[in-house]
Amino acid sequence: MPRIAICAPARSITHADAAAVRALAQTVPGVALSFHPQCFLEAGHFAGSDAQRLAAFIECANDPSFDAVWFARGGYGSNRIAAAAMGQLGAAARAKAYLGYSDTGYMLGALARAGIGRQVHAPMPGDIRRAGGAEAVLRSMRWLAGDRTGEEPARDGHPRAAFNLTTLAMLCGTPLMPDLAGHVVMVEEVSEHLYAVDRLFFHLTAQLSGIAGLRLGRISEVPENDVPFGADAVAIARDWCGRSAIPYLGRADIGHDIANRIVPFGP
């Protein structure tokens, strides 16, 4: 039976969130969940101090009794501990899968760069708060139990990676940025004006030369600007990909919503 450690590198969840996720787990044979107490800490915006969040992640990753680490929630904060974590991970950490998305993409990126474990863009326990979020959480649980029907289908033989657009743009130029050469890169975004999406693509596409192509996930909950931007998200992605000679490969079924599909990194 796969044993799954859950920790919170960014924001916290509540005991009620955990109880709802545990109840769902009873419907998925073959998965045992263990919420680290750190998931429920609060220190301002974060699920405990940087030191507490770092210690919880290292403990979960290095524990050989767990098969995977599932990040509890995004928000903001994973970048503050990711670099410090990489040098403290041992052999047991290399045998695990790591699941999350949004802000926890900083952790996935750092792990991919370091060649540690299997990185997986996937719904998190915190998605239980969304209307209909149980289905998203179950998608990840079923994947952990061996069911691959929740994955975003691969369209060719290239390795894949998926990130929040802002997270990936912020990774560029830092010691956490993985080598994405030859990958199909999928990106999604939430709650950003279209001019901000355009600005993010300006920066990101200049850093992604050598990738096999880009697929666009959902750009959702776009705030209304004082004047129309004049281009939608697809037009923005096509434009900046064209300027950087990156193949635009169409849409991807990922996003900050309950339909967010699973994308294991790599082939």
Side-chain angles (χ1 to χ4, degrees):
M1 174 182 290
R3 296 192 66 240
I4 316 304
I6 301 172
C7 61
R11 298 196 67 183
S12 62
I13 58 172
T14 67
H15 288 283
D17 296 333
V21 172
R22 286 191 188 99
L24 283 178
Q26 299 304 309
T27 70
V28 183
V31 170
L33 304 182
S34 177
F35 285 86
H36 194 286
Q38 172 270 327
C39 290
F40 313 110
L41 298 180
E42 294 185 6
H45 176 91
F46 306 108
S49 66
D50 286 357
Q52 288 171 318
R53 301 195 320 282
L54 175 63
F57 170 69
I58 292 170
E59 180 183 340
C60 291
N62 284 338
D63 188 333
S65 69
F66 291 117
D67 302 290
V69 175
W70 195 10
F71 300 128
R73 184 183 176 191
Y76 173 68
S78 302
N79 60 309
R80 295 169 60 95
I81 66 170
M86 295 305 110
Q88 301 182 58
L89 300 181
R94 296 180 177 276
K96 289 180 172 59
Y98 297 85
L99 284 73
Y101 75 105
S102 187
D103 179 82
T104 65
Y106 291 113
M107 301 299 291
L108 300 180
L111 289 160
R113 180 180 176 118
I116 297 173
R118 183 80 188 275
Q119 307 82 40
V120 185
H121 164 104
M124 297 179 286
D127 284 311
I128 197 68
R129 299 180 175 194
R130 301 183 188 276
E135 187 54 42
V137 175
L138 282 168
R139 190 175 304 121
S140 288
M141 286 190 198
R142 290 167 181 153
W143 189 91
L144 287 161
D147 181 349
R148 299 297 184 253
T149 58
E151 290 186 8
E152 173 70 344
R155 297 181 181 176
D156 52 39
H158 294 290
R160 302 180 293 165
F163 290 93
N164 169 259
L165 179 60
T166 297
T167 299
L168 184 55
M170 293 297 102
L171 278 168
C172 289
T174 74
L176 305 180
M177 180 66 179
D179 181 4
L180 297 176
H183 286 63
V184 170
V185 177
M186 307 177 202
V187 293
E188 54 78 27
E189 190 52 88
V190 64
S191 301
E192 293 286 356
H193 288 84
L194 286 174
Y195 70 79
V197 172
D198 190 82
R199 182 168 57 207
L200 287 163
F201 269 107
F202 152 72
H203 174 69
L204 180 61
T205 53
Q207 311 297 318
L208 291 183
S209 61
I211 68 169
L214 183 138
R215 290 174 60 193
L216 180 67
R218 284 176 289 283
I219 307 297
S220 57
E221 300 180 29
V222 177
E224 187 173 341
N225 199 24
D226 56 344
V227 295
F229 181 68
D232 63 14
V234 172
I236 291 168
R238 284 185 179 275
D239 178 32
W240 286 109
C241 283
R243 294 180 189 219
S244 296
I246 294 171
Y248 175 75
L249 302 177
R251 304 306 302 268
D253 195 5
I254 63 170
H256 270 67
D257 52 45
I258 62 170
N260 186 25
R261 293 183 70 82
I262 294 170
V263 181
F265 285 28

